[in-house]
Amino acid sequence: MLCEGHTKVTTGFIDLPKTKEGARVRIHYSQKNIADELAAQLERQLANKKITDPSRIKRIDTMAGGDHGQGAFIFGAKVVVVLSGKTEEDEDESFSFEISVAEVLCTKDTAEILSKTVRDELTKGLKQIQLEKLLFGAVMHEGGSKVSCSFSATPGVASIPINVELYIVGDLAFTAAVVLGKDGMSHSWCPMCKMRAAEMPTLNATGEIWQYAEMKKLGEEHQKKMRLFEQNDKVSPPKAQLGCKDTPWWPFIPVEEEVSEKIEYLSPEEVKTRSHLAELEVKQAEVRQEVKDFDVSEKGKELSSHLGKVGRAKESLKKLDTCTNGPGANSISVKNDAPVSVLLFLQEVTDFIEYGGDDDDEEYGLEGTADDVSVDGNTVDAADAAPDKANRIRNKVAEVKARIVQLEEKIVPLKASRKKITDRRDKSGKYIARAKEHIKTSNLTAR
């Protein structure tokens, strides 16, 4: 309810009659006007996205609805805005956002409770969205130009009117039972058409869609009978006709559009594909997390360590090969050209392979790493130029190669364990791509 740039919030409460146990029930609620909140949040979204040209707005769809959960009834809407591309060559763009406009703290969202709390303000706002145009204009402010958005004209500002496509969504308990005046209706009737329950099992059967005038008439008749019943306890409780207990809440929103024409038909195959797509995306997220979990596990750290050692060993081999095979290589020196003994160099090679030989790491007391070793043909050291020094380097080469073989043997099973997970991750990605392509093809065929 409370968010950046929110509009006025009103609060209140109602007291319901005492229960059989004698306790009074107090229902608290808070609400905003949905039309005002839509305009205010849309203006803020356009400003945040630095959209300053109102003529780019092509379409606005608002899916409004409510549901009950965790001790409260919440009513809100998702707003989808379609923009034309910045140039004729650019594709259309879109963005969406959500707004919350009503909250009722109750254990059950009955038509009686909602009627006595948030119904009037919701009706006022929804009627404005449905029957009036949203006006957009370009106005100047401190940071430059921005788009204004309101259901009322701004003096001195040329405006562009745009219709907002309004849809009421929700489960049957809300859209049909509450909004259409059929709260707690009998299961003997379909809430959206006049079909009896006995006829529903028939595949592809379509009943006669309700018209507001009919529901209004039957609802008024039932309410009249209910008032007589409340005044005379000797009268039997009236039964609703075809499930109609009250007049529809929002007859300004065509029921035909809500039920049939505005709902896209999906083939059974596409419904199944969309269902699988959602499951695949969840599975892909789970497998991606498995990969991350493996990488930080003991096996993952071991694999990373072994791979690092192999990489450094192969890098060291290049240095060692240069020392034994390089023409005129009489001495080994570091980058500052200070002579270094072969034994120290060979120790550095070993430490570099095992630990990385970080210059700043004083733990190993190293002066440099194998990266720093170079061959200097101009520096001659009598002690280091003896033939057995070259033999020692050749022996180190053989030792390093043997070490690489040992490490690669350890790497194989660890890589196999990780690959089982990454294969599932990659396979889920391929299935997702195929599912999306199937849905895209189905949509093109339907058009």
Side-chain angles (χ1 to χ4, degrees):
M1 290 291 291
L2 298 178
C3 61
E4 184 179 348
H6 69 81
T7 54
K8 179 181 178 181
V9 178
T10 59
T11 62
F13 65 86
I14 61 170
D15 288 325
L16 297 182
K18 292 183 179 181
T19 62
K20 293 180 180 180
E21 292 76 19
R24 184 183 64 178
V25 179
R26 174 162 288 184
I27 304 294
H28 292 268
Y29 65 93
S30 56
Q31 60 184 339
K32 295 178 284 190
N33 182 282
I34 188 172
D36 294 341
E37 185 72 3
L38 167 62
Q41 295 303 325
L42 179 52
E43 182 174 308
R44 188 174 67 86
Q45 290 285 334
L46 293 171
N48 289 343
K49 298 179 184 301
K50 302 187 185 308
I51 298 169
T52 58
D53 181 6
S55 65
R56 288 187 59 200
I57 302 172
K58 294 181 64 176
R59 180 184 177 94
I60 302 171
D61 290 333
T62 299
M63 286 68 70
D67 197 10
H68 184 276
Q70 297 185 347
F73 169 82
I74 304 293
F75 191 95
K78 181 169 185 177
V79 183
V80 180
V81 182
V82 180
L83 305 169
S84 60
K86 295 181 180 179
T87 66
E88 293 183 358
E89 292 76 20
D90 294 338
E91 294 183 354
D92 289 350
E93 304 172 14
S94 67
F95 67 88
S96 64
F97 61 93
E98 296 179 358
I99 57 176
S100 179
V101 297
E103 180 181 47
V104 183
L105 302 180
C106 56
T107 57
K108 185 173 177 59
D109 54 339
T110 64
E112 177 187 8
I113 291 175
L114 298 182
S115 293
K116 293 179 177 179
T117 54
V118 297
R119 173 179 173 176
D120 290 345
E121 191 66 22
L122 285 176
T123 301
K124 177 183 175 182
L126 291 171
K127 190 171 185 177
Q128 189 171 23
I129 294 173
Q130 178 68 20
L131 302 182
E132 299 181 21
K133 295 180 183 295
L134 198 51
L135 304 177
F136 295 88
V139 297
M140 299 300 296
H141 67 119
E142 294 178 358
S145 176
K146 75 169 189 176
V147 175
S148 66
C149 177
S150 175
F151 280 97
S152 58
T154 303
V157 177
S159 59
I160 299 175
I162 296 179
N163 284 324
V164 177
E165 294 291 336
L166 177 61
Y167 305 88
I168 300 298
V169 297
D171 57 20
L172 287 178
F174 176 74
T175 56
V178 176
V179 177
L180 296 181
K182 303 180 180 183
D183 187 28
M185 66 173 288
S186 170
H187 297 295
S188 299
W189 301 95
C190 171
M192 312 306 288
C193 71
K194 300 179 183 178
M195 185 179 293
R196 294 177 179 272
E199 302 172 296
M200 294 178 191
T202 305
L203 293 178
N204 297 324
T206 302
E208 181 183 352
I209 300 299
W210 278 106
Q211 301 298 317
Y212 275 127
E214 297 172 302
M215 288 187 286
K216 182 174 182 294
K217 179 182 178 182
L218 294 177
E220 289 175 342
E221 291 178 356
H222 182 74
Q223 286 297 306
K224 184 178 179 180
K225 294 177 182 178
M226 281 297 298
R227 286 191 291 271
L228 292 174
F229 167 70
E230 292 170 357
Q231 295 170 4
N232 186 357
D233 55 7
K234 295 182 179 180
V235 178
S236 301
K239 292 184 179 181
Q241 297 184 57
L242 305 181
C244 295
K245 294 185 174 182
D246 200 354
T247 57
W249 284 17
W250 303 318
F252 46 83
I253 302 175
V255 68
E256 298 89 348
E257 294 182 3
E258 285 187 40
V259 176
S260 56
E261 296 178 1
K262 294 297 182 179
I263 297 179
E264 179 184 5
Y265 171 75
L266 301 180
S267 66
E269 292 79 11
E270 185 171 350
V271 171
K272 194 171 184 178
T273 301
R274 288 178 181 270
S275 175
H276 287 334
L277 176 59
E279 294 171 357
L280 284 169
E281 289 174 339
V282 171
K283 187 65 177 178
Q284 184 185 55
E286 292 175 349
V287 180
R288 282 175 174 170
Q289 186 59 47
E290 284 185 49
V291 176
K292 293 180 181 179
D293 293 341
F294 178 89
D295 290 342
V296 298
S297 68
E298 291 302 319
K299 285 187 176 181
K301 292 176 181 178
E302 185 180 355
L303 174 59
S304 178
S305 174
H306 291 343
L307 289 173
K309 289 177 181 180
V310 168
R312 292 192 295 272
K314 291 180 177 179
E315 188 176 341
S316 297
L317 280 179
K318 296 178 183 178
K319 300 292 184 181
L320 293 168
D321 288 341
T322 301
C323 294
T324 55
N325 302 323
N330 299 319
S331 174
I332 302 166
S333 65
V334 294
K335 288 182 178 178
N336 61 7
D337 292 329
V340 173
S341 71
V342 171
L343 292 178
L344 177 57
F345 167 60
L346 296 181
Q347 183 59 44
E348 286 189 3
V349 168
T350 300
D351 290 338
F352 175 67
I353 293 171
E354 294 301 318
Y355 310 111
D358 197 345
D359 287 344
D360 297 328
D361 195 342
E362 298 180 356
E363 180 180 351
Y364 310 111
L366 301 181
E367 297 177 18
T369 69
D371 281 335
D372 302 322
V373 176
S374 64
V375 176
D376 183 357
N378 298 320
T379 305
V380 178
D381 184 282
D384 291 341
D388 66 313
K389 307 302 183 186
N391 290 332
R392 291 179 181 178
I393 295 177
R394 290 190 184 94
N395 290 337
K396 175 57 68 174
V397 169
E399 180 185 327
V400 171
K401 288 181 177 179
R403 180 62 173 148
I404 290 174
V405 172
Q406 293 174 352
L407 291 169
E408 288 182 335
E409 288 177 351
K410 294 180 179 180
I411 286 172
V412 170
L414 294 172
K415 269 191 171 181
S417 297
R418 190 178 190 276
K419 190 173 184 299
K420 287 181 180 179
I421 306 174
T422 56
D423 282 350
R424 288 191 288 121
R425 177 199 62 192
D426 297 340
K427 183 177 289 187
S428 66
K430 292 178 181 178
Y431 281 137
I432 287 173
R434 288 174 59 186
K436 288 182 176 179
E437 184 61 29
H438 175 77
I439 292 171
K440 181 179 178 181
T441 303
S442 299
N443 289 338
L444 292 173
T445 303
R447 290 176 188 173

